[in-house]
Amino acid sequence: MKYYIITFSLILCVLFILSIGAFATNISPLMAYKISVNKIFASEIFHPEWKPLIETIIWEIRIPRALLAIICGAGLSVCGVLMQSVTKNPIADPYILGLASGASTGAVFIIIIGGASVGIASVTGGAFLGAIVCSILIFVIGTQYGKSSSTTRLILSGLAISTIFSALTDLLISMAENSNQVKSALFWSMGSLGGATWSVLLLPLIALLITLILSVGISKSLDLLLFGDDNAIMLGMNVNVIKSIVVILTSLLTSVLVAVTGAIGFVGLVVPHLTRLVCGNNHKKLLILSSIIGAIFLLCCDLFAKNIIYPKDLPIGIITSLIGGPFFLWMLTRSNYSFKKSKS
C-alpha cells in the first residue's frame, strides 16, 4: 500500500509541475518555473526578466487551476467511492443523483439575470445554492426524511430531480436576452476549471479534507456494507446512520466542487474502478488511493483540454464525458454491472 501511495504521489507531483509549464503559449516552461520558484519562496532567486503580466498569468491563473484540478479530481473520486459503497452499485456516481444539474440551474440563473457582471463569486454562490436545494430535495424525497434506506428509491429520485433541473436550465437559457449570456451559460454547464483563483480553493479543500478524514474513519463500516445490510446489522452496525452520513458528506462535497467548476461528470465513476484494480475493495485503501489517482486523472484531462485546440480552452467536462461515456457503456454490457443486480 505504501508503495502505491508513494508511486502515485510522485506521478501527481510530476504532472503538477508539468501542468505549470506545459501550455501551448509563447511563455516558455523554464520561465514559468522560474516565476513559480520566486513566488513560492517570496524571493528573487531568479532575476525577473519577464513582464508583470506573465507573472500574473503563472501565479494567479495556472497554479490555482492545477491545484483546483487536483482538489476536484480527488473530491469527485472520493464521492464516487462513497456512493458506490452505500448503494452497493458499481455504476452509482454522484452525478446520477442530480447534484450537478441543481448547481447548473443556480449558476445559469445568475448569469441570465446579469449577476455574472458582479464577479465569479456571484455565479459560484448561485451554483452552490442550486446544489444545496437539490441535495435537500433528494434527501427529503429519496429517503422520506431519512426513514427509508432504499438505494433504488434514492437513485430514481435523483434521476427525476436531475431531469427537472436540467429542464429548468434549458428554460433559463432560452430566455437569455443576448448571445453572450447563452455562450457563458453553456460553457459553465459543460464544466471548466477556467474560474480557478486562489480565493476559491480554500472551501473545496476544506470540504475534501473533512470528507476524506470522516470517510476513512468509517471505512470498516463501509467494508461491512459490501456483505449486505442484513449481515451488517447482525454484526452490530447501524446501517441507516452510516448511509445517512455518507449521503450527507457526498452531497455537501459534490455541491462545493460543482459550485466552483461546473458539471464535470464521470470522474466518480471511472476512477474508483481503476483504483480497485490496484488495491481491491478495502475502503481505507480505496479512499486514499482514489483521491490521488482522481487528482492525476483530472490533471491529465485538464492538460489535454488546455492544449488540444489552443488558443481555445476546451471545457474539461467534454473530455471527461468522452472518456466516461464509453466506460459507462462498457460496464452496462457486463452482466455483473447492472442496476437489476442492485438491492436496496
Side-chain angles (χ1 to χ4, degrees):
M1 178 64 178
K2 290 182 180 178
Y3 169 78
Y4 289 122
I5 291 177
I6 293 173
T7 300
F8 285 113
S9 296
L10 288 175
I11 294 173
L12 179 60
C13 290
V14 171
L15 282 172
F16 174 70
I17 294 172
L18 184 64
S19 69
I20 297 174
F23 274 77
T25 66
N26 55 359
I27 303 175
S28 70
L30 180 60
M31 183 183 293
Y33 298 137
K34 287 180 177 179
I35 292 172
S36 301
V37 170
N38 281 2
K39 296 296 290 186
I40 290 171
F41 292 98
S43 176
E44 292 186 357
I45 296 175
F46 298 102
H47 179 67
E49 55 189 16
W50 47 79
K51 296 179 180 178
L53 177 61
I54 296 177
E55 186 171 303
T56 301
I57 291 173
I58 300 299
W59 185 248
E60 300 293 341
I61 298 176
R62 288 192 185 183
I63 295 179
R65 178 168 176 153
L67 291 174
L68 183 59
I70 291 173
I71 295 171
C72 188
L76 292 175
S77 301
V78 169
C79 288
V81 172
L82 292 174
M83 290 311 302
Q84 290 168 17
S85 171
V86 78
T87 61
K88 295 187 289 295
N89 191 325
I91 301 177
D93 177 88
Y95 284 78
I96 291 177
L97 296 183
L99 300 184
S101 299
S104 295
T105 303
V108 170
F109 175 75
I110 295 297
I111 292 171
I112 297 303
I113 65 173
S117 59
V118 178
I120 187 64
S122 59
V123 180
T124 302
F128 184 73
L129 288 176
I132 289 297
V133 170
C134 192
S135 301
I136 294 172
L137 288 175
I138 292 169
F139 181 77
V140 171
I141 300 173
T143 67
Q144 291 180 305
Y145 296 93
K147 297 177 182 177
S148 171
S149 61
S150 170
T151 54
T152 302
R153 180 187 176 92
L154 188 67
I155 290 175
L156 291 178
S157 300
L159 288 173
I161 293 170
S162 175
T163 301
I164 294 171
F165 274 96
S166 295
L168 289 174
T169 301
D170 293 338
L171 176 63
L172 288 169
I173 292 176
S174 69
M175 295 169 61
E177 296 180 351
N178 58 66
S179 58
N180 287 333
Q181 288 182 337
V182 174
K183 184 178 179 181
S184 179
L186 289 176
F187 184 84
W188 194 94
S189 64
M190 287 186 286
S192 173
L193 299 172
T197 62
W198 286 106
S199 60
V200 306
L201 294 178
L202 182 60
L203 183 59
L205 178 61
I206 292 174
L208 170 63
L209 292 177
I210 291 175
T211 302
L212 187 58
I213 292 171
L214 292 178
S215 300
V216 170
I218 62 171
S219 58
K220 291 185 178 178
S221 297
L222 298 177
D223 290 339
L224 291 178
L225 281 178
L226 295 180
F227 297 102
D229 290 359
D230 293 337
N231 290 328
I233 292 171
M234 288 177 63
L235 292 172
M237 175 181 153
N238 192 325
V239 173
N240 287 335
V241 170
I242 294 298
K243 285 187 175 182
S244 297
I245 292 173
V246 170
V247 169
I248 292 171
L249 286 176
T250 306
S251 298
L252 289 175
L253 179 56
T254 305
S255 300
V256 172
L257 296 177
V258 172
V260 177
T261 64
I264 301 177
F266 292 106
V267 178
L269 174 70
V270 174
V271 173
H273 289 285
L274 296 179
T275 309
R276 285 190 179 91
L277 297 177
V278 177
C279 67
N281 286 319
N282 182 298
H283 278 87
K284 184 177 181 180
K285 299 177 181 177
L286 190 58
L287 285 162
I288 295 172
L289 270 183
S290 286
S291 64
I292 301 173
I293 295 176
I296 292 172
F297 176 79
L298 204 59
L299 206 50
C300 288
C301 289
D302 190 44
L303 276 171
F304 191 75
K306 288 183 297 191
N307 292 287
I308 186 64
I309 57 171
Y310 177 80
K312 292 184 177 179
D313 187 1
L314 187 68
I316 194 171
I318 294 177
I319 303 296
T320 58
S321 295
L322 287 175
I323 297 173
F327 187 84
F328 183 80
L329 292 174
W330 171 74
M331 293 182 68
L332 288 178
T333 62
R334 302 181 61 184
S335 59
N336 56 333
Y337 286 121
S338 169
F339 278 105
K340 294 179 180 179
K341 295 286 184 182
S342 67
K343 297 177 181 178
S344 58

